[in-house]
Amino acid sequence: MSDAYLEERHHQLRAQVRAFAELKVAPRVADMEHTGAVETELATAIAQQGWIGVTIDRAYGGMGAGHLAKTIIIEELSRISGAMGTVAQASQLGVAKIIHFGSERQKRIWLPKIASGSCLPTIAVTEPEAGSHVLGMQMTARRDGRHYVLNGCKIHIGNSHIGDIHGVIARTSEGSQGLTAFLVEADRPGLTLPPPRRTLGLHGFSFGELHFTDCRIPVGNRLGREGEGLDVAYSSSVLYGRPNLAAVALGIHQAILEQTTAFASERVRYGKQLHHLPNIKIKIGQIQSRVMTARLVAYHAAHLLDSVGKDQASPDCGSQLESTLPNTGAGCDAELMNAKLINVELVLDSVRTAMEIHAAAGLMDDIPIGRYLRDAHHIFAPAGTSDIQLLRLAEAALGQSKGQWSQRLSAALSPRPGPAPPL
C-alpha cells in the first residue's frame, strides 16, 4: 500500500540513493563505529549529490522534489548508516528556516549554495535548561545599532561541527514574543565549538555545542521579524524535524528486518535454519508488520505535506505568517507528529525483538544489531519525545490545537519545479 504514494521518479531516486549508500557509505561504517570521529567527507559527498536541496525550489537551484522524496533519501541513507541519514535530516531543518522565513535576499544567497552542496545549514534551538521547553531559552541577542550581539550556549546541535550556517534562536526580549531567529556563519568571531563528545550511537554524526561570546552579526542576518523565533523553531520541528526523524527510524527499521531475516536464515539450530522455530518465525512476523505499518504512516504523512500546498498560487510566503496566507486544504500536523511517534516506538520494539532472536550473537561487534539498537535510541528525544507527540495528538483530538503549521506555511511546501528567475 505504501507504494501507492510513489511515482516512477521516487523509485528512480531510491535506486540512486541506495546505490550511493551501498557503494560509498557502507565501507566507512566500521571505521565510524571504531573511531567515533565526525565523518566530514561522507557528509560533503551526500551534500554534493544535491540531496540537501531536495525541498528547495528549482528557482534557487534545488531539486524541487518535495517531502516524500526527502523521506526516501533519508530512509535509504539510514538503512546503511543511521549517522549519515541523520546528517541529511538535520540539514533539512536548516533548510526549512530559510525557505519559510528567509527574505528574498537571504534565499538567493544561501539556498543555491545549500542546493549545490557547498553549504550545510543547521538549526540551533536546544539549550542546557531548555529542551522541549523552548520558552525557557536563555541565550540573548542584544541589538547594537546595525548589529546584534549574541551570548549564550546551544547544545545537542545536529551537524554542529560541520555546519556552515547556523540558524540560531535567541531571546531579544521577555515572553513568548521575545524570541528571534538569526543566521550565524560558522566562522563568525565569538562563536566557538568545544570538541565533540562521544555519544551512545550515531557514530560519525556531529551532535555538539555552540558557544557564543559577544558574537556580532549584522541586522541583515536576522530571519524574519523580531519576535518570530518561536515560529521558526516550532514550524521547523513540526514540518521537517518530525517526519525527517520518522524517515531515519524507518531506514534503521528496514536494516533491522534485513539483518534479522538473514541471521535467521543462516543460523542452524536442531538441524534446521533458525527461522523454522515457530517462536522465531512469529518474532520475524512482528518485525515485518511493524516495518510495513511504519512505512505506511511515514509515507502518508510526507504525501500529505507535499499535497497541502498545491493549491497555493505563490511559492514564496516569506515570513508573512498571520494574515496573508489563505488556509486551503486540510493541514497534516497531526499526521507528521504521529509519523514520528509510530516510527520511533515501533523501531524500538523491533530492535528489542531482533536482539532476542540474535541472543548472545547480538552482543558481538561484528553483527550490526547492537549498532541499530544504539542508533534507534538517538531518534527518541529530538523534535519532542513520544510523550510530547501524544500530548499534541491529544490536543488535536480535543480541538485544542493552536493552528496548523502545514496550513500556515503551505505555499512553500509542495514540490514546485520551474525555471530559475534572474539573480
Side-chain angles (χ1 to χ4, degrees):
M1 180 62 184
S2 59
D3 279 356
Y5 296 113
L6 303 182
E7 303 171 11
E8 179 58 30
R9 64 187 180 94
H10 293 121
H11 293 295
Q12 293 175 356
L13 179 63
R14 183 188 301 281
Q16 177 189 2
V17 181
R18 178 167 291 198
F20 173 91
E22 292 179 347
L23 180 64
K24 301 292 187 181
V25 178
R28 304 287 287 272
V29 170
D31 188 59
M32 286 190 287
E33 285 301 296
H34 176 68
T35 67
V38 175
E39 177 51 72
T40 58
E41 291 184 9
L42 278 181
T44 299
I46 289 167
Q48 289 175 344
Q49 300 301 307
W51 295 330
I52 308 303
V54 61
T55 62
I56 295 175
D57 197 288
R58 292 189 183 182
Y60 302 102
M63 292 173 62
H67 291 264
L68 185 52
K70 169 169 62 69
T71 297
I72 291 169
I73 290 169
I74 297 170
E75 175 193 354
E76 286 298 325
L77 290 171
S78 301
R79 172 179 166 265
I80 298 299
S81 167
M84 292 302 102
T86 307
V87 166
Q89 85 80 19
S91 291
Q92 290 292 338
L93 274 76
V95 170
K97 67 183 185 293
I98 300 174
I99 289 177
H100 295 298
F101 292 89
S103 66
E104 185 60 29
R105 176 179 175 275
Q106 289 167 339
K107 291 178 182 179
R108 287 173 180 255
I109 290 173
W110 294 108
L111 292 183
K113 294 179 181 179
I114 295 169
S116 70
S118 63
C119 172
L120 271 178
T122 79
I123 190 164
V125 177
T126 304
E127 296 184 7
E129 304 301 325
S132 295
H133 177 42
V134 177
L135 288 176
M137 196 177 298
Q138 298 176 9
M139 178 172 167
T140 61
R142 175 178 56 85
R143 181 73 179 262
D144 182 21
R146 298 301 299 167
H147 291 81
Y148 285 91
V149 182
L150 277 57
N151 283 282
C153 173
K154 297 294 183 181
I155 64 171
H156 307 324
I157 306 307
N159 291 335
S160 55
H161 286 68
I162 60 174
D164 299 294
I165 184 77
H166 303 293
V168 180
I169 315 295
R171 185 163 290 287
T172 47
S173 62
E174 297 300 318
S176 61
Q177 301 300 311
L179 299 178
T180 303
F182 303 92
L183 294 172
V184 183
E185 299 89 343
D187 59 356
R188 279 276 168 187
L191 169 57
T192 57
L193 286 75
R197 298 162 61 188
R198 188 171 177 93
T199 55
L200 174 71
L202 297 183
H203 296 158
F205 176 60
S206 173
F207 188 55
E209 300 182 7
L210 307 178
H211 292 187
F212 299 85
T213 305
D214 293 333
C215 179
R216 296 178 66 87
I217 59 171
V219 171
N221 281 32
R222 187 183 66 209
L223 272 173
R225 299 184 293 266
E226 277 201 13
E228 285 189 335
L230 190 64
D231 292 341
V232 175
Y234 280 169
S235 62
S236 297
S237 175
V238 172
L239 299 180
Y240 281 72
R242 288 165 182 171
N244 288 6
L245 291 162
V248 175
L250 179 58
I252 296 171
H253 208 164
Q254 179 64 36
I256 290 168
L257 176 63
E258 293 174 7
Q259 164 61 29
T260 305
T261 54
F263 178 83
S265 298
E266 296 164 0
R267 190 61 58 103
V268 174
R269 287 294 181 269
Y270 309 107
K272 294 183 178 179
Q273 294 164 307
L274 186 62
H275 64 67
H276 285 284
L277 295 174
N279 64 316
I280 299 299
K281 185 170 287 187
I282 287 171
K283 290 180 186 296
I284 292 173
Q286 288 176 324
I287 299 174
Q288 169 76 353
S289 174
R290 292 176 191 137
V291 170
M292 293 172 66
T293 300
R295 178 168 287 111
L296 184 60
V297 172
Y299 284 16
H300 177 63
H303 170 74
L304 290 178
L305 194 56
D306 280 338
S307 302
V308 73
K310 284 186 176 178
D311 293 333
Q312 292 287 356
S314 171
D316 177 16
C317 61
S319 60
Q320 304 302 311
L321 206 57
E322 278 75 21
S323 60
T324 61
L325 292 179
N327 287 334
T328 61
C332 59
D333 288 27
E335 285 83 358
L336 299 171
M337 298 171 193
N338 194 49
K340 201 241 174 183
L341 171 71
I342 293 298
N343 272 270
V344 167
E345 292 298 321
L346 292 189
V347 75
L348 290 173
D349 288 342
S350 286
V351 78
R352 176 175 176 176
T353 302
M355 288 293 289
E356 292 172 354
I357 292 172
H358 283 75
L363 305 176
M364 302 295 108
D365 283 344
D366 60 340
I367 292 181
I369 202 68
R371 169 164 61 92
Y372 302 148
L373 184 148
R374 291 183 283 103
D375 288 354
H377 278 82
H378 273 258
I379 314 304
F380 178 78
T385 65
S386 293
D387 281 353
I388 294 292
Q389 312 307 328
L390 290 169
L391 284 171
R392 299 295 173 260
L393 288 169
E395 290 171 355
L398 294 166
Q400 298 172 351
S401 298
K402 300 175 182 178
Q404 296 204 57
W405 289 107
S406 50
Q407 286 182 315
R408 296 170 72 183
L409 297 177
S410 57
L413 285 173
S414 61
R416 205 178 301 273
L423 294 178

